[in-house]
Amino acid sequence: MKIINIGILAHVDAGKTTLTESLLYTSGAIMEPGSVDKGTTRTDSMALERQRKITIQAAVTSFRWKGYKVNLVDTPGHMDFLAEVHRSLSVLDGAILVVSAKDGVQAQTRVLFHALRKMKIPTIIFINKIDQSGVVLEQTYQNIREKLTEDMIVMQEVHLCSEIILSDVADFEKWDAVIAGNDDILEKYLSGVPLTLWELQKEIKRRVQRGTLFPVYHGSAKDNIGVKELLEVITEVFSLETDDSQSELCGYVFKIEYTEQKKRRCYLRLYSGTLCLRETILLSKKEKIKITEMSIPFDGEIVPADTADSGEIVILSDNTLKLNDVLGDEKLLPRKAWTDNPLPFLRTTIEPIKAEQREVLLDALTEIADTDPLLHFMIDSITHEIILSFLGKVQLEVVCSLLNEKYSVEVAIKEPTVIYLERPRKEAHYTIHIEVPPNPFWASIGLAVTPLPVGSGTEYESKVSLGYLNQSFQNAVMEGIRYGLEQGVYGWEVTDCRICFEYGVYYSPVSTPADFRFLAPVVLEQVLKKAGTQVLEPYLSFTLFAPQEYLSRAYHDAVKYDAVIETTSLKNNEAILTGEIPARRIGEYKSDLNFYTNGRSVCLTELKGYQETSGEPVVQPRRPNSRLDKVRHMFQKIM
């Protein structure tokens, strides 16, 4: 049976989950459709998803239609989860973008369509809720043309009377977008040669597969109107001629989840070859895993399987696979795996309301971070606080709800702050000598620091020979430097530099590794002060769409939020501005825009990376260290 993997994407309340249930019901996979309001749907598995009526985590279900098995990957649709959307999108053969007939194209619709186009995912647009009163489809079409794409083609005639009637567009005159896009077909048409439905449908499929044409279909998922027609087009347009002779294995891990029973499940898309139970598989990074338990989606359920064929979504019970891992040959991946996970740029401290639940909290965070590459956590080596780093505030809300509902841990969090970094401005050298006050340690250390380009990270090298200073002392220096890099001149983590341990002296038998471990961060602080550091902050690149009459205000307000406008243009009565803005200001800028445009502006953002902060450097108070603070203070007095 041929397999097609599709995703349904939509803005909140456009009816994505209802459409999923309707597809399962119409295809015969389930006996009755679930309800979003009653919380009985198959894909929204988290209580928070049902409560908010949004899908946060991707779930997988499937149905069969006319000789095809269709796996439905329920992609997340919230702003803060676009990285997870991208990862889920990379395994799709096609996508259905749901637009509400009455609400039209919303801000989130544009964000999702932008992601689909960027990843060249074949896409069908489904106008849902056409049975609602006050629907004017011509306005909806115009809305799609202006805000999504002009490369759309309406595939059905819709008669909105007491009974909704859908019929295929028979008039080829309305298929201009298809005819004009192919020179051979256009030549035949202009020459008066009759065109056949078959050749036009073939051309539509070719262009949809290339991501240059977007067919529009209609219906009401709640009442199963237009769903059968949608099933037909899914199997016609998204099916690919695959090379079944390709027997070499290639699979990609796109999701990890933990069940209520603490079982770790890894979801992978199999691109080629066959996966068999009890088989030992080579990962692309040369590790091996044995398949001990395997399941696949089937008719609305997840069922055990002994084998899985090319195209299948496979669920493995495994504790070693990670997100973005490739099983088998990485070169056979048809679409480059989405590995560009942006670094979290917000952080907060998190603690359990009940102190005795600290270990439970840490275990829970370990599981959650394993399933979400945009969430990091660490324990402060001095204060022992749990520090959570993340990308968006809704993501934090979801984590807190997960902790409460799934792990029964109530937590307290502080107001999130932006994560700044420090980078040395120039090369510098500094040495603190043994027995030279105020050095209280039996050690001499000389360090050099050299700035590296932004984004390079840190490098370390030792020019002190192991023949003179043995490994335990060398390791102690490295540990001390690693600790020292946690707080630079302004109190932020230091990055983008090379640290060189270029001089070291010890006295036998009094010197110990601890002397070197405690002295190293003191020397590092002094050499960084000598070099000077710049504070870096995360920047976003943005594309802003606003009604034309707000062009001047959007442009001139940008400077208030430290944004830099790079280009401006006008299209379809909309002003389009591109530029960059500090991540800490984007929330205010968006709120302001939404307020004065009455919610008619859309801002697409992507993480650009770190660059020097636009204002005065932000200082973070240093964490206390009873062993080192007195020594640091003594060196500050003599500098």
Side-chain angles (χ1 to χ4, degrees):
M1 188 176 281
K2 294 276 188 182
I3 299 169
I4 302 171
N5 293 292
I6 67 166
I8 299 178
L9 295 91
H11 67 83
V12 175
D13 288 337
K16 177 176 84 166
T17 305
T18 308
L19 179 58
T20 301
E21 296 294 316
S22 186
L23 287 167
L24 291 169
Y25 172 70
T26 306
S27 65
I30 57 176
M31 297 306 289
E32 61 174 311
S35 162
V36 172
D37 296 324
K38 293 176 185 173
T40 56
T41 61
R42 271 143 189 86
T43 48
D44 283 356
S45 53
M46 275 172 58
L48 181 75
E49 292 178 329
R50 292 172 178 165
Q51 172 195 326
R52 290 173 64 98
K53 296 187 182 176
I54 61 169
T55 305
I56 295 159
Q57 294 184 321
V60 180
T61 188
S62 86
F63 57 84
R64 287 173 291 164
W65 188 257
K66 295 197 172 174
Y68 286 92
K69 178 184 177 186
V70 180
N71 289 326
L72 220 164
V73 180
D74 194 39
T75 51
H78 198 275
M79 280 283 302
D80 283 350
F81 298 84
L82 275 183
E84 191 175 353
V85 169
H86 279 103
R87 205 168 51 248
S88 299
L89 292 186
S90 71
V91 303
L92 301 181
D93 299 312
I96 298 164
L97 183 67
V98 185
V99 176
S100 165
K102 199 165 185 182
D103 299 337
V105 174
Q106 301 293 296
Q108 189 61 14
T109 322
R110 296 178 84 157
V111 172
L112 295 167
F113 188 71
H114 173 72
L116 290 167
R117 290 206 86 159
K118 189 172 180 181
M119 295 196 68
K120 298 184 171 66
I121 308 293
T123 302
I124 292 167
I125 297 170
F126 183 73
I127 299 177
N128 192 25
K129 303 185 179 182
I130 61 170
D131 55 338
Q132 288 187 339
S133 60
V135 167
V136 181
L137 286 174
E138 281 304 325
Q139 287 180 8
T140 312
Y141 301 150
Q142 191 59 25
N143 194 228
I144 291 169
R145 282 190 193 96
E146 290 179 358
K147 295 186 175 179
L148 295 184
T149 176
E150 292 174 2
D151 297 318
M152 59 164 278
I153 176 167
V154 178
M155 301 299 293
Q156 294 167 312
E157 301 274 6
V158 183
H159 304 281
L160 297 173
C161 39
S162 56
E163 184 186 345
I164 294 171
I165 300 168
L166 300 173
S167 57
D168 293 336
V169 171
D171 185 1
F172 291 170
E173 296 290 335
K174 295 183 178 178
W175 289 26
D176 286 351
V178 184
I179 295 166
N182 183 300
D183 290 344
D184 294 338
I185 293 176
L186 181 60
E187 192 177 327
K188 281 179 74 173
Y189 178 72
L190 294 174
S191 304
V193 178
L195 299 175
T196 67
L197 183 61
W198 177 82
E199 65 184 323
L200 288 174
Q201 285 176 336
K202 186 180 174 185
E203 174 62 12
I204 287 171
K205 179 172 179 174
R206 185 187 71 83
R207 288 191 54 195
V208 171
Q209 289 287 349
R210 290 190 172 189
T212 60
L213 188 67
F214 303 90
V216 175
Y217 287 82
H218 313 76
S220 171
K222 196 172 182 182
D223 297 315
N224 300 309
I225 297 169
V227 177
K228 191 174 178 183
E229 292 84 347
L230 185 61
L231 281 166
E232 295 285 348
V233 76
I234 286 169
T235 51
E236 284 169 17
V237 172
F238 293 151
S239 58
L240 283 168
E241 294 301 319
T242 53
D243 180 11
D244 293 328
S245 64
Q246 177 57 264
S247 59
E248 200 169 341
L249 187 73
C250 177
Y252 168 66
V253 179
F254 68 94
K255 174 179 169 65
I256 287 171
E257 71 175 13
Y258 286 82
T259 66
E260 297 292 338
Q261 295 75 36
K262 304 287 183 187
K263 202 172 197 178
R264 189 175 186 268
R265 301 203 297 196
C266 308
Y267 290 71
L268 69 97
R269 160 78 195 259
L270 200 56
Y271 286 104
S272 65
T274 302
L275 207 56
C276 299
L277 199 61
R278 291 178 287 278
E279 194 175 12
T280 299
I281 302 297
L282 188 70
L283 298 182
S284 62
K285 55 184 188 234
K286 308 306 177 200
E287 295 174 25
K288 288 183 179 179
I289 63 157
K290 186 167 184 178
I291 310 298
T292 55
E293 195 175 327
M294 184 165 84
S295 305
I296 58 172
F298 188 79
D299 279 1
E301 304 291 337
I302 302 296
V303 299
D306 292 331
T307 62
D309 296 317
S310 176
E312 189 61 271
I313 299 288
V314 186
I315 302 149
L316 301 177
S317 294
D318 182 85
N319 291 320
T320 57
L321 286 171
K322 296 183 179 66
L323 281 169
N324 300 318
D325 270 354
V326 177
L327 275 70
D329 189 350
E330 196 166 352
K331 293 176 187 150
L332 296 175
L333 275 179
R335 188 182 285 121
K336 187 173 178 282
W338 188 263
T339 53
D340 183 23
N341 290 318
L343 283 171
F345 58 78
L346 295 171
R347 75 173 183 191
T348 186
T349 58
I350 183 168
E351 60 181 357
I353 301 289
K354 298 174 183 172
E356 64 271 19
Q357 286 194 303
R358 182 178 167 92
E359 286 303 317
V360 180
L361 173 60
L362 288 170
D363 289 344
L365 288 174
T366 302
E367 283 190 8
I368 296 169
D370 187 29
T371 67
D372 184 357
L374 302 181
L375 185 78
H376 301 171
F377 78 95
M378 59 169 279
I379 299 170
D380 189 290
S381 55
I382 300 298
T383 65
H384 305 297
E385 290 177 308
I386 303 169
I387 299 169
L388 201 61
S389 308
F390 54 98
L391 199 60
K393 290 191 178 182
V394 175
Q395 183 189 14
L396 180 63
E397 182 187 334
V398 169
V399 169
C400 293
S401 296
L402 252 180
L403 288 168
N404 190 4
E405 293 164 11
K406 187 174 178 180
Y407 301 96
S408 303
V409 180
E410 283 193 64
V411 293
I413 56 167
K414 290 182 181 172
E415 181 65 24
T417 56
V418 166
I419 300 170
Y420 293 86
L421 297 172
E422 285 185 55
R423 172 180 175 267
R425 290 189 177 276
K426 62 182 182 182
E427 185 175 338
H429 302 255
Y430 197 87
T431 302
I432 292 179
H433 293 280
I434 198 168
E435 290 195 295
V436 176
N439 179 9
F441 304 112
W442 291 100
S444 288
I445 294 177
L447 297 177
V449 63
T450 309
L452 296 175
V454 172
S456 302
T458 52
E459 296 176 8
Y460 174 80
E461 66 172 326
S462 173
K463 288 185 177 175
V464 178
S465 78
L466 282 167
Y468 173 70
L469 198 64
N470 71 33
Q471 193 67 58
S472 61
F473 287 84
Q474 298 260 5
N475 289 344
V477 174
M478 266 198 295
E479 288 165 23
I481 288 172
R482 196 177 297 126
Y483 170 73
L485 288 171
E486 291 177 11
Q487 299 178 100
V489 176
Y490 296 99
W492 301 101
E493 183 184 343
V494 181
T495 186
D496 302 331
C497 62
R498 180 183 295 111
I499 309 288
C500 179
F501 176 31
E502 56 184 9
Y503 177 76
V505 172
Y506 78 104
Y507 284 179
S508 181
V510 289
S511 297
T512 68
D515 289 304
F516 284 82
R517 187 178 297 108
F518 288 128
L519 182 60
V522 179
V523 181
L524 181 64
E525 183 182 0
Q526 298 306 319
V527 75
L528 287 172
K529 282 183 176 175
K530 194 173 175 184
T533 62
Q534 56 182 183
V535 175
L536 309 176
E537 67 175 319
Y539 267 72
L540 303 172
S541 56
F542 67 86
T543 304
L544 168 68
F545 300 87
Q548 188 173 331
E549 61 266 31
Y550 296 107
L551 169 62
S552 177
R553 179 158 182 185
Y555 185 89
H556 290 106
D557 273 9
V559 69
K560 281 199 308 190
Y561 301 98
D562 303 318
V564 176
I565 302 295
E566 293 164 349
T567 68
T568 58
S569 58
L570 295 172
K571 185 180 177 184
N572 296 325
N573 298 317
E574 265 193 332
I576 305 169
L577 292 79
T578 67
E580 61 178 39
I581 186 170
R584 62 187 159 85
R585 305 305 305 271
I586 190 67
E588 301 165 84
Y589 192 35
K590 279 184 178 178
S591 296
D592 201 11
L593 285 163
N594 273 327
F595 176 72
Y596 67 73
T597 63
N598 295 314
R600 291 186 292 156
S601 64
V602 177
C603 194
L604 306 176
T605 56
E606 289 180 30
L607 192 58
K608 187 174 183 181
Y610 275 80
Q611 54 196 65
E612 189 164 7
T613 185
S614 53
E616 283 293 309
V618 178
V619 179
Q620 177 175 239
R622 292 188 73 90
R623 303 192 309 276
N625 185 322
S626 58
R627 187 76 176 83
L628 291 181
D629 285 350
K630 187 177 178 183
V631 179
R632 287 181 53 253
H633 181 66
M634 287 158 62
F635 273 99
Q636 282 167 5
K637 286 176 74 174
I638 64 166
M639 283 292 283

